Amino acid sequence: MMNMIKKQTLFGWLSCAAGVLSLVALIIYCVNSSTGYYSATSTNALPIVFAVIAVILLIGGPIVADKMDSRIPVVFVLAAAVLMSAAACIYILERVPLFADMWFIPTTPPASELAAFGPSMAGIIFYFLSAIVAVVACFGKLNKTTAHAAEATSTEA
């Protein structure tokens, strides 16, 4: 276990960070969708499923980086970024009436809408942050052995 942790590079750490951000977004979505202003509505399962699959892909990508072709973990992380972006878009579409009430109706919104607005924005931001961090992770080296091998071949040429 410690050997695997020592071998992680920027790809592994950023993938895990994106997984944590995805988990935070998932928790915010679940809490926001089941309490307060949205307690009487049904929760859409797609953002939850997308986020769970994305977390599995983001955490699993660096773990299997040594055991598979070098492109597979990158595809895992990019697929997770697409899933998190799709979850964020679904989340935004569900919250359009709330955002319209807050931004475009010139009256003072009810307290329940004010309470639901902040967590909704935070969840959307975390979904997009996790997607951005996942894409940035793809620009890093997969593991230290491939990083050293790439440096050795570039110095030989």
Side-chain angles (χ1 to χ4, degrees):
M1 181 71 175
M2 288 301 290
N3 191 24
M4 184 186 74
I5 292 173
K6 288 180 184 178
K7 287 199 294 185
Q8 292 303 318
T9 60
L10 185 64
F11 173 79
W13 292 116
L14 286 178
S15 295
C16 291
V20 170
L21 290 171
S22 300
L23 198 57
V24 170
L26 173 65
I27 292 168
I28 291 172
Y29 176 76
C30 289
V31 169
N32 186 250
S33 296
S34 61
T35 59
Y37 184 69
Y38 289 104
S39 62
T41 62
S42 62
T43 302
N44 190 349
L46 273 179
I48 296 170
V49 171
F50 288 169
V52 168
I53 294 171
V55 168
I56 292 169
L57 290 174
L58 288 167
I59 303 298
I63 291 173
V64 299
D66 289 341
K67 299 170 184 66
M68 294 184 156
D69 183 19
S70 63
R71 293 172 290 215
I72 302 287
V74 174
V75 171
F76 282 179
V77 173
L78 286 176
V82 169
L83 287 171
M84 294 310 296
S85 297
C89 290
I90 294 168
Y91 195 3
I92 290 170
L93 287 175
E94 289 179 348
R95 301 303 188 251
V96 165
L98 174 68
F99 298 151
D101 286 348
M102 294 295 294
W103 288 329
F104 301 118
I105 296 177
T107 61
T108 305
S112 60
E113 285 184 6
L114 287 172
F117 181 75
S120 294
M121 290 302 292
I124 291 166
I125 289 169
F126 273 103
Y127 273 124
F128 281 127
L129 272 177
S130 68
I132 291 168
V133 171
V135 170
V136 170
C138 293
F139 290 102
K141 300 288 184 195
L142 292 179
N143 55 36
K144 289 188 179 179
T145 56
T146 58
H148 293 307
E151 289 173 10
T153 56
S154 65
T155 57
E156 290 173 3

mmCIF file of all heavy atoms in Angstrom, residues 34-82:
data_model
loop_
_atom_site.group_PDB
_atom_site.id
_atom_site.type_symbol
_atom_site.label_atom_id
_atom_site.label_comp_id
_atom_site.label_asym_id
_atom_site.label_seq_id
_atom_site.Cartn_x
_atom_site.Cartn_y
_atom_site.Cartn_z
ATOM 1 N N SER A 34 -33.045 16.684 -0.923
ATOM 2 C CA SER A 34 -33.955 15.974 -0.022
ATOM 3 C C SER A 34 -34.382 16.792 1.190
ATOM 4 O O SER A 34 -35.101 16.273 2.044
ATOM 5 C CB SER A 34 -33.302 14.668 0.434
ATOM 6 O OG SER A 34 -32.108 14.950 1.130
ATOM 7 N N THR A 35 -33.935 18.023 1.305
ATOM 8 C CA THR A 35 -34.307 18.830 2.461
ATOM 9 C C THR A 35 -34.806 20.198 2.023
ATOM 10 O O THR A 35 -34.583 20.631 0.894
ATOM 11 C CB THR A 35 -33.105 19.034 3.407
ATOM 12 O OG1 THR A 35 -32.055 19.677 2.676
ATOM 13 C CG2 THR A 35 -32.603 17.733 3.979
ATOM 14 N N GLY A 36 -35.471 20.872 2.916
ATOM 15 C CA GLY A 36 -35.873 22.256 2.701
ATOM 16 C C GLY A 36 -36.812 22.444 1.529
ATOM 17 O O GLY A 36 -37.840 21.775 1.409
ATOM 18 N N TYR A 37 -36.461 23.358 0.666
ATOM 19 C CA TYR A 37 -37.290 23.758 -0.468
ATOM 20 C C TYR A 37 -37.603 22.577 -1.393
ATOM 21 O O TYR A 37 -38.671 22.507 -1.984
ATOM 22 C CB TYR A 37 -36.562 24.867 -1.232
ATOM 23 C CG TYR A 37 -37.320 25.462 -2.378
ATOM 24 C CD1 TYR A 37 -38.448 26.247 -2.163
ATOM 25 C CD2 TYR A 37 -36.902 25.255 -3.689
ATOM 26 C CE1 TYR A 37 -39.154 26.807 -3.226
ATOM 27 C CE2 TYR A 37 -37.582 25.816 -4.754
ATOM 28 C CZ TYR A 37 -38.711 26.591 -4.510
ATOM 29 O OH TYR A 37 -39.386 27.143 -5.562
ATOM 30 N N TYR A 38 -36.699 21.630 -1.534
ATOM 31 C CA TYR A 38 -36.881 20.498 -2.434
ATOM 32 C C TYR A 38 -37.306 19.214 -1.728
ATOM 33 O O TYR A 38 -37.267 18.141 -2.323
ATOM 34 C CB TYR A 38 -35.596 20.242 -3.235
ATOM 35 C CG TYR A 38 -35.344 21.299 -4.256
ATOM 36 C CD1 TYR A 38 -34.388 22.275 -4.057
ATOM 37 C CD2 TYR A 38 -36.081 21.342 -5.425
ATOM 38 C CE1 TYR A 38 -34.164 23.256 -4.994
ATOM 39 C CE2 TYR A 38 -35.875 22.327 -6.373
ATOM 40 C CZ TYR A 38 -34.913 23.273 -6.143
ATOM 41 O OH TYR A 38 -34.703 24.248 -7.075
ATOM 42 N N SER A 39 -37.731 19.291 -0.468
ATOM 43 C CA SER A 39 -38.102 18.078 0.263
ATOM 44 C C SER A 39 -39.356 17.418 -0.296
ATOM 45 O O SER A 39 -39.519 16.211 -0.183
ATOM 46 C CB SER A 39 -38.284 18.384 1.749
ATOM 47 O OG SER A 39 -39.345 19.312 1.922
ATOM 48 N N ALA A 40 -40.247 18.181 -0.902
ATOM 49 C CA ALA A 40 -41.488 17.614 -1.433
ATOM 50 C C ALA A 40 -41.336 17.095 -2.865
ATOM 51 O O ALA A 40 -42.258 16.496 -3.392
ATOM 52 C CB ALA A 40 -42.596 18.660 -1.389
ATOM 53 N N THR A 41 -40.194 17.313 -3.487
ATOM 54 C CA THR A 41 -39.993 16.862 -4.865
ATOM 55 C C THR A 41 -39.193 15.571 -4.878
ATOM 56 O O THR A 41 -38.491 15.239 -3.919
ATOM 57 C CB THR A 41 -39.248 17.932 -5.687
ATOM 58 O OG1 THR A 41 -37.966 18.148 -5.107
ATOM 59 C CG2 THR A 41 -40.022 19.222 -5.732
ATOM 60 N N SER A 42 -39.286 14.862 -5.991
ATOM 61 C CA SER A 42 -38.509 13.634 -6.117
ATOM 62 C C SER A 42 -37.091 13.979 -6.582
ATOM 63 O O SER A 42 -36.885 14.917 -7.339
ATOM 64 C CB SER A 42 -39.171 12.674 -7.103
ATOM 65 O OG SER A 42 -39.226 13.260 -8.381
ATOM 66 N N THR A 43 -36.149 13.195 -6.131
ATOM 67 C CA THR A 43 -34.747 13.414 -6.476
ATOM 68 C C THR A 43 -34.416 12.668 -7.763
ATOM 69 O O THR A 43 -34.741 11.492 -7.905
ATOM 70 C CB THR A 43 -33.833 12.921 -5.340
ATOM 71 O OG1 THR A 43 -34.189 13.606 -4.154
ATOM 72 C CG2 THR A 43 -32.382 13.160 -5.648
ATOM 73 N N ASN A 44 -33.777 13.343 -8.686
ATOM 74 C CA ASN A 44 -33.339 12.722 -9.936
ATOM 75 C C ASN A 44 -32.142 11.829 -9.629
ATOM 76 O O ASN A 44 -31.164 12.261 -9.008
ATOM 77 C CB ASN A 44 -32.970 13.798 -10.950
ATOM 78 C CG ASN A 44 -32.744 13.241 -12.334
ATOM 79 O OD1 ASN A 44 -32.660 12.042 -12.536
ATOM 80 N ND2 ASN A 44 -32.650 14.134 -13.296
ATOM 81 N N ALA A 45 -32.188 10.589 -10.072
ATOM 82 C CA ALA A 45 -31.127 9.634 -9.765
ATOM 83 C C ALA A 45 -29.915 9.758 -10.690
ATOM 84 O O ALA A 45 -28.830 9.289 -10.333
ATOM 85 C CB ALA A 45 -31.672 8.215 -9.836
ATOM 86 N N LEU A 46 -30.072 10.383 -11.848
ATOM 87 C CA LEU A 46 -28.953 10.448 -12.796
ATOM 88 C C LEU A 46 -27.715 11.155 -12.244
ATOM 89 O O LEU A 46 -26.607 10.620 -12.388
ATOM 90 C CB LEU A 46 -29.404 11.111 -14.096
ATOM 91 C CG LEU A 46 -30.015 10.185 -15.137
ATOM 92 C CD1 LEU A 46 -30.442 10.962 -16.367
ATOM 93 C CD2 LEU A 46 -29.069 9.088 -15.513
ATOM 94 N N PRO A 47 -27.827 12.335 -11.624
ATOM 95 C CA PRO A 47 -26.605 12.931 -11.077
ATOM 96 C C PRO A 47 -25.941 12.073 -10.008
ATOM 97 O O PRO A 47 -24.716 12.043 -9.909
ATOM 98 C CB PRO A 47 -27.082 14.262 -10.492
ATOM 99 C CG PRO A 47 -28.318 14.582 -11.225
ATOM 100 C CD PRO A 47 -28.955 13.265 -11.527
ATOM 101 N N ILE A 48 -26.735 11.346 -9.252
ATOM 102 C CA ILE A 48 -26.174 10.465 -8.219
ATOM 103 C C ILE A 48 -25.418 9.312 -8.870
ATOM 104 O O ILE A 48 -24.274 9.009 -8.500
ATOM 105 C CB ILE A 48 -27.290 9.952 -7.290
ATOM 106 C CG1 ILE A 48 -27.920 11.130 -6.544
ATOM 107 C CG2 ILE A 48 -26.750 8.914 -6.319
ATOM 108 C CD1 ILE A 48 -29.175 10.780 -5.776
ATOM 109 N N VAL A 49 -26.029 8.679 -9.858
ATOM 110 C CA VAL A 49 -25.378 7.558 -10.547
ATOM 111 C C VAL A 49 -24.121 8.028 -11.264
ATOM 112 O O VAL A 49 -23.064 7.379 -11.180
ATOM 113 C CB VAL A 49 -26.375 6.897 -11.533
ATOM 114 C CG1 VAL A 49 -25.682 5.889 -12.419
ATOM 115 C CG2 VAL A 49 -27.515 6.251 -10.773
ATOM 116 N N PHE A 50 -24.216 9.169 -11.960
ATOM 117 C CA PHE A 50 -23.049 9.698 -12.661
ATOM 118 C C PHE A 50 -21.909 10.000 -11.694
ATOM 119 O O PHE A 50 -20.747 9.716 -11.981
ATOM 120 C CB PHE A 50 -23.407 10.957 -13.446
ATOM 121 C CG PHE A 50 -24.237 10.724 -14.674
ATOM 122 C CD1 PHE A 50 -24.818 11.777 -15.335
ATOM 123 C CD2 PHE A 50 -24.452 9.453 -15.175
ATOM 124 C CE1 PHE A 50 -25.578 11.589 -16.474
ATOM 125 C CE2 PHE A 50 -25.214 9.236 -16.307
ATOM 126 C CZ PHE A 50 -25.780 10.304 -16.964
ATOM 127 N N ALA A 51 -22.228 10.585 -10.547
ATOM 128 C CA ALA A 51 -21.181 10.933 -9.582
ATOM 129 C C ALA A 51 -20.550 9.688 -8.967
ATOM 130 O O ALA A 51 -19.330 9.645 -8.763
ATOM 131 C CB ALA A 51 -21.745 11.838 -8.495
ATOM 132 N N VAL A 52 -21.346 8.676 -8.673
ATOM 133 C CA VAL A 52 -20.788 7.445 -8.091
ATOM 134 C C VAL A 52 -19.860 6.757 -9.091
ATOM 135 O O VAL A 52 -18.749 6.329 -8.737
ATOM 136 C CB VAL A 52 -21.928 6.502 -7.632
ATOM 137 C CG1 VAL A 52 -21.401 5.119 -7.311
ATOM 138 C CG2 VAL A 52 -22.649 7.090 -6.433
ATOM 139 N N ILE A 53 -20.292 6.663 -10.341
ATOM 140 C CA ILE A 53 -19.429 6.065 -11.371
ATOM 141 C C ILE A 53 -18.165 6.892 -11.553
ATOM 142 O O ILE A 53 -17.062 6.352 -11.688
ATOM 143 C CB ILE A 53 -20.198 5.919 -12.695
ATOM 144 C CG1 ILE A 53 -21.324 4.896 -12.537
ATOM 145 C CG2 ILE A 53 -19.270 5.507 -13.828
ATOM 146 C CD1 ILE A 53 -22.275 4.839 -13.717
ATOM 147 N N ALA A 54 -18.294 8.211 -11.527
ATOM 148 C CA ALA A 54 -17.126 9.086 -11.682
ATOM 149 C C ALA A 54 -16.143 8.902 -10.536
ATOM 150 O O ALA A 54 -14.927 8.854 -10.762
ATOM 151 C CB ALA A 54 -17.563 10.543 -11.780
ATOM 152 N N VAL A 55 -16.638 8.796 -9.310
ATOM 153 C CA VAL A 55 -15.738 8.586 -8.165
ATOM 154 C C VAL A 55 -14.999 7.263 -8.322
ATOM 155 O O VAL A 55 -13.781 7.186 -8.089
ATOM 156 C CB VAL A 55 -16.530 8.646 -6.836
ATOM 157 C CG1 VAL A 55 -15.690 8.158 -5.679
ATOM 158 C CG2 VAL A 55 -17.014 10.057 -6.574
ATOM 159 N N ILE A 56 -15.699 6.227 -8.736
ATOM 160 C CA ILE A 56 -15.046 4.923 -8.940
ATOM 161 C C ILE A 56 -13.977 5.027 -10.019
ATOM 162 O O ILE A 56 -12.861 4.510 -9.867
ATOM 163 C CB ILE A 56 -16.098 3.848 -9.284
ATOM 164 C CG1 ILE A 56 -16.983 3.588 -8.067
ATOM 165 C CG2 ILE A 56 -15.436 2.565 -9.764
ATOM 166 C CD1 ILE A 56 -18.213 2.757 -8.365
ATOM 167 N N LEU A 57 -14.287 5.701 -11.119
ATOM 168 C CA LEU A 57 -13.303 5.850 -12.199
ATOM 169 C C LEU A 57 -12.118 6.708 -11.773
ATOM 170 O O LEU A 57 -10.967 6.408 -12.123
ATOM 171 C CB LEU A 57 -13.968 6.466 -13.433
ATOM 172 C CG LEU A 57 -14.958 5.589 -14.185
ATOM 173 C CD1 LEU A 57 -15.646 6.385 -15.284
ATOM 174 C CD2 LEU A 57 -14.275 4.366 -14.754
ATOM 175 N N LEU A 58 -12.379 7.777 -11.024
ATOM 176 C CA LEU A 58 -11.298 8.673 -10.609
ATOM 177 C C LEU A 58 -10.364 8.019 -9.596
ATOM 178 O O LEU A 58 -9.154 8.235 -9.637
ATOM 179 C CB LEU A 58 -11.881 9.965 -10.037
ATOM 180 C CG LEU A 58 -12.508 10.899 -11.055
ATOM 181 C CD1 LEU A 58 -13.332 11.973 -10.363
ATOM 182 C CD2 LEU A 58 -11.445 11.525 -11.930
ATOM 183 N N ILE A 59 -10.902 7.251 -8.692
ATOM 184 C CA ILE A 59 -10.056 6.576 -7.713
ATOM 185 C C ILE A 59 -9.412 5.328 -8.332
ATOM 186 O O ILE A 59 -8.266 4.996 -8.038
ATOM 187 C CB ILE A 59 -10.869 6.201 -6.449
ATOM 188 C CG1 ILE A 59 -11.514 7.440 -5.836
ATOM 189 C CG2 ILE A 59 -10.016 5.470 -5.429
ATOM 190 C CD1 ILE A 59 -10.560 8.502 -5.365
ATOM 191 N N GLY A 60 -10.143 4.662 -9.225
ATOM 192 C CA GLY A 60 -9.617 3.446 -9.842
ATOM 193 C C GLY A 60 -8.562 3.697 -10.903
ATOM 194 O O GLY A 60 -7.698 2.854 -11.128
ATOM 195 N N GLY A 61 -8.615 4.850 -11.566
ATOM 196 C CA GLY A 61 -7.644 5.150 -12.618
ATOM 197 C C GLY A 61 -6.196 5.073 -12.159
ATOM 198 O O GLY A 61 -5.394 4.355 -12.748
ATOM 199 N N PRO A 62 -5.819 5.785 -11.098
ATOM 200 C CA PRO A 62 -4.433 5.697 -10.632
ATOM 201 C C PRO A 62 -4.062 4.327 -10.074
ATOM 202 O O PRO A 62 -2.913 3.912 -10.156
ATOM 203 C CB PRO A 62 -4.361 6.746 -9.517
ATOM 204 C CG PRO A 62 -5.479 7.670 -9.780
ATOM 205 C CD PRO A 62 -6.542 6.866 -10.436
ATOM 206 N N ILE A 63 -5.040 3.603 -9.539
ATOM 207 C CA ILE A 63 -4.745 2.283 -8.971
ATOM 208 C C ILE A 63 -4.373 1.302 -10.073
ATOM 209 O O ILE A 63 -3.440 0.511 -9.921
ATOM 210 C CB ILE A 63 -5.941 1.783 -8.139
ATOM 211 C CG1 ILE A 63 -6.085 2.648 -6.883
ATOM 212 C CG2 ILE A 63 -5.776 0.317 -7.757
ATOM 213 C CD1 ILE A 63 -7.321 2.361 -6.071
ATOM 214 N N VAL A 64 -5.073 1.344 -11.197
ATOM 215 C CA VAL A 64 -4.799 0.399 -12.277
ATOM 216 C C VAL A 64 -3.792 0.930 -13.291
ATOM 217 O O VAL A 64 -3.534 0.280 -14.292
ATOM 218 C CB VAL A 64 -6.108 0.004 -13.000
ATOM 219 C CG1 VAL A 64 -7.075 -0.663 -12.065
ATOM 220 C CG2 VAL A 64 -6.730 1.181 -13.701
ATOM 221 N N ALA A 65 -3.198 2.090 -13.033
ATOM 222 C CA ALA A 65 -2.269 2.698 -14.002
ATOM 223 C C ALA A 65 -1.062 1.804 -14.264
ATOM 224 O O ALA A 65 -0.549 1.765 -15.383
ATOM 225 C CB ALA A 65 -1.816 4.068 -13.514
ATOM 226 N N ASP A 66 -0.592 1.069 -13.267
ATOM 227 C CA ASP A 66 0.571 0.195 -13.456
ATOM 228 C C ASP A 66 0.210 -1.106 -14.153
ATOM 229 O O ASP A 66 1.046 -1.734 -14.773
ATOM 230 C CB ASP A 66 1.196 -0.149 -12.102
ATOM 231 C CG ASP A 66 1.890 1.039 -11.480
ATOM 232 O OD1 ASP A 66 2.207 1.993 -12.212
ATOM 233 O OD2 ASP A 66 2.117 1.011 -10.259
ATOM 234 N N LYS A 67 -1.033 -1.524 -14.055
ATOM 235 C CA LYS A 67 -1.433 -2.844 -14.516
ATOM 236 C C LYS A 67 -2.007 -2.868 -15.925
ATOM 237 O O LYS A 67 -2.189 -3.920 -16.490
ATOM 238 C CB LYS A 67 -2.457 -3.417 -13.536
ATOM 239 C CG LYS A 67 -1.913 -3.584 -12.138
ATOM 240 C CD LYS A 67 -3.029 -3.914 -11.168
ATOM 241 C CE LYS A 67 -2.544 -3.988 -9.751
ATOM 242 N NZ LYS A 67 -2.076 -2.742 -9.209
ATOM 243 N N MET A 68 -2.308 -1.710 -16.489
ATOM 244 C CA MET A 68 -2.959 -1.657 -17.799
ATOM 245 C C MET A 68 -2.151 -0.813 -18.770
ATOM 246 O O MET A 68 -1.166 -0.187 -18.408
ATOM 247 C CB MET A 68 -4.360 -1.062 -17.663
ATOM 248 C CG MET A 68 -5.324 -1.867 -16.891
ATOM 249 S SD MET A 68 -6.913 -1.055 -16.946
ATOM 250 C CE MET A 68 -7.980 -2.428 -16.646
ATOM 251 N N ASP A 69 -2.653 -0.782 -19.989
ATOM 252 C CA ASP A 69 -2.095 0.096 -21.003
ATOM 253 C C ASP A 69 -2.157 1.534 -20.491
ATOM 254 O O ASP A 69 -3.090 1.914 -19.790
ATOM 255 C CB ASP A 69 -2.903 -0.052 -22.293
ATOM 256 C CG ASP A 69 -2.347 0.771 -23.432
ATOM 257 O OD1 ASP A 69 -1.171 1.171 -23.356
ATOM 258 O OD2 ASP A 69 -3.082 1.014 -24.388
ATOM 259 N N SER A 70 -1.212 2.352 -20.831
ATOM 260 C CA SER A 70 -1.104 3.690 -20.259
ATOM 261 C C SER A 70 -2.251 4.609 -20.654
ATOM 262 O O SER A 70 -2.472 5.619 -20.010
ATOM 263 C CB SER A 70 0.219 4.325 -20.663
ATOM 264 O OG SER A 70 0.265 4.491 -22.062
ATOM 265 N N ARG A 71 -2.989 4.251 -21.709
ATOM 266 C CA ARG A 71 -4.102 5.111 -22.117
ATOM 267 C C ARG A 71 -5.381 4.838 -21.342
ATOM 268 O O ARG A 71 -6.251 5.698 -21.268
ATOM 269 C CB ARG A 71 -4.357 4.944 -23.605
ATOM 270 C CG ARG A 71 -3.218 5.483 -24.449
ATOM 271 C CD ARG A 71 -3.444 5.112 -25.861
ATOM 272 N NE ARG A 71 -3.242 3.659 -25.959
ATOM 273 C CZ ARG A 71 -2.719 3.056 -26.993
ATOM 274 N NH1 ARG A 71 -2.383 3.742 -28.045
ATOM 275 N NH2 ARG A 71 -2.549 1.757 -27.010
ATOM 276 N N ILE A 72 -5.535 3.665 -20.769
ATOM 277 C CA ILE A 72 -6.779 3.280 -20.088
ATOM 278 C C ILE A 72 -7.074 4.186 -18.887
ATOM 279 O O ILE A 72 -8.191 4.689 -18.768
ATOM 280 C CB ILE A 72 -6.740 1.798 -19.671
ATOM 281 C CG1 ILE A 72 -6.531 0.903 -20.875
ATOM 282 C CG2 ILE A 72 -7.984 1.416 -18.893
ATOM 283 C CD1 ILE A 72 -7.699 0.756 -21.794
ATOM 284 N N PRO A 73 -6.124 4.444 -17.977
ATOM 285 C CA PRO A 73 -6.440 5.333 -16.852
ATOM 286 C C PRO A 73 -6.813 6.743 -17.288
ATOM 287 O O PRO A 73 -7.677 7.375 -16.676
ATOM 288 C CB PRO A 73 -5.160 5.334 -16.015
ATOM 289 C CG PRO A 73 -4.450 4.094 -16.389
ATOM 290 C CD PRO A 73 -4.801 3.838 -17.811
ATOM 291 N N VAL A 74 -6.200 7.226 -18.346
ATOM 292 C CA VAL A 74 -6.533 8.560 -18.848
ATOM 293 C C VAL A 74 -7.959 8.562 -19.386
ATOM 294 O O VAL A 74 -8.720 9.511 -19.158
ATOM 295 C CB VAL A 74 -5.522 9.005 -19.923
ATOM 296 C CG1 VAL A 74 -5.933 10.312 -20.559
ATOM 297 C CG2 VAL A 74 -4.132 9.116 -19.326
ATOM 298 N N VAL A 75 -8.346 7.500 -20.064
ATOM 299 C CA VAL A 75 -9.719 7.390 -20.564
ATOM 300 C C VAL A 75 -10.694 7.329 -19.390
ATOM 301 O O VAL A 75 -11.771 7.942 -19.440
ATOM 302 C CB VAL A 75 -9.862 6.152 -21.483
ATOM 303 C CG1 VAL A 75 -11.315 5.880 -21.828
ATOM 304 C CG2 VAL A 75 -9.051 6.350 -22.753
ATOM 305 N N PHE A 76 -10.330 6.600 -18.320
ATOM 306 C CA PHE A 76 -11.167 6.554 -17.115
ATOM 307 C C PHE A 76 -11.411 7.963 -16.575
ATOM 308 O O PHE A 76 -12.536 8.337 -16.264
ATOM 309 C CB PHE A 76 -10.502 5.718 -16.021
ATOM 310 C CG PHE A 76 -10.608 4.231 -16.193
ATOM 311 C CD1 PHE A 76 -10.030 3.382 -15.263
ATOM 312 C CD2 PHE A 76 -11.280 3.668 -17.262
ATOM 313 C CE1 PHE A 76 -10.121 2.015 -15.397
ATOM 314 C CE2 PHE A 76 -11.366 2.298 -17.411
ATOM 315 C CZ PHE A 76 -10.781 1.463 -16.469
ATOM 316 N N VAL A 77 -10.344 8.730 -16.454
ATOM 317 C CA VAL A 77 -10.455 10.062 -15.859
ATOM 318 C C VAL A 77 -11.230 11.004 -16.777
ATOM 319 O O VAL A 77 -12.051 11.801 -16.310
ATOM 320 C CB VAL A 77 -9.048 10.599 -15.509
ATOM 321 C CG1 VAL A 77 -9.112 12.024 -15.045
ATOM 322 C CG2 VAL A 77 -8.418 9.720 -14.432
ATOM 323 N N LEU A 78 -10.999 10.918 -18.071
ATOM 324 C CA LEU A 78 -11.766 11.757 -19.000
ATOM 325 C C LEU A 78 -13.243 11.372 -19.002
ATOM 326 O O LEU A 78 -14.115 12.247 -19.079
ATOM 327 C CB LEU A 78 -11.189 11.661 -20.410
ATOM 328 C CG LEU A 78 -9.877 12.395 -20.622
ATOM 329 C CD1 LEU A 78 -9.348 12.152 -22.028
ATOM 330 C CD2 LEU A 78 -10.044 13.879 -20.368
ATOM 331 N N ALA A 79 -13.537 10.084 -18.916
ATOM 332 C CA ALA A 79 -14.937 9.648 -18.826
ATOM 333 C C ALA A 79 -15.573 10.173 -17.540
ATOM 334 O O ALA A 79 -16.744 10.589 -17.541
ATOM 335 C CB ALA A 79 -15.016 8.125 -18.877
ATOM 336 N N ALA A 80 -14.818 10.187 -16.455
ATOM 337 C CA ALA A 80 -15.329 10.737 -15.200
ATOM 338 C C ALA A 80 -15.603 12.226 -15.332
ATOM 339 O O ALA A 80 -16.607 12.731 -14.809
ATOM 340 C CB ALA A 80 -14.340 10.476 -14.067
ATOM 341 N N ALA A 81 -14.744 12.944 -16.044
ATOM 342 C CA ALA A 81 -14.967 14.383 -16.261
ATOM 343 C C ALA A 81 -16.243 14.616 -17.065
ATOM 344 O O ALA A 81 -17.019 15.537 -16.761
ATOM 345 C CB ALA A 81 -13.767 14.998 -16.969
ATOM 346 N N VAL A 82 -16.485 13.788 -18.063
ATOM 347 C CA VAL A 82 -17.712 13.913 -18.854
ATOM 348 C C VAL A 82 -18.934 13.611 -17.982
ATOM 349 O O VAL A 82 -19.950 14.318 -18.045
ATOM 350 C CB VAL A 82 -17.660 12.981 -20.086
ATOM 351 C CG1 VAL A 82 -19.007 12.880 -20.772
ATOM 352 C CG2 VAL A 82 -16.597 13.449 -21.062
#
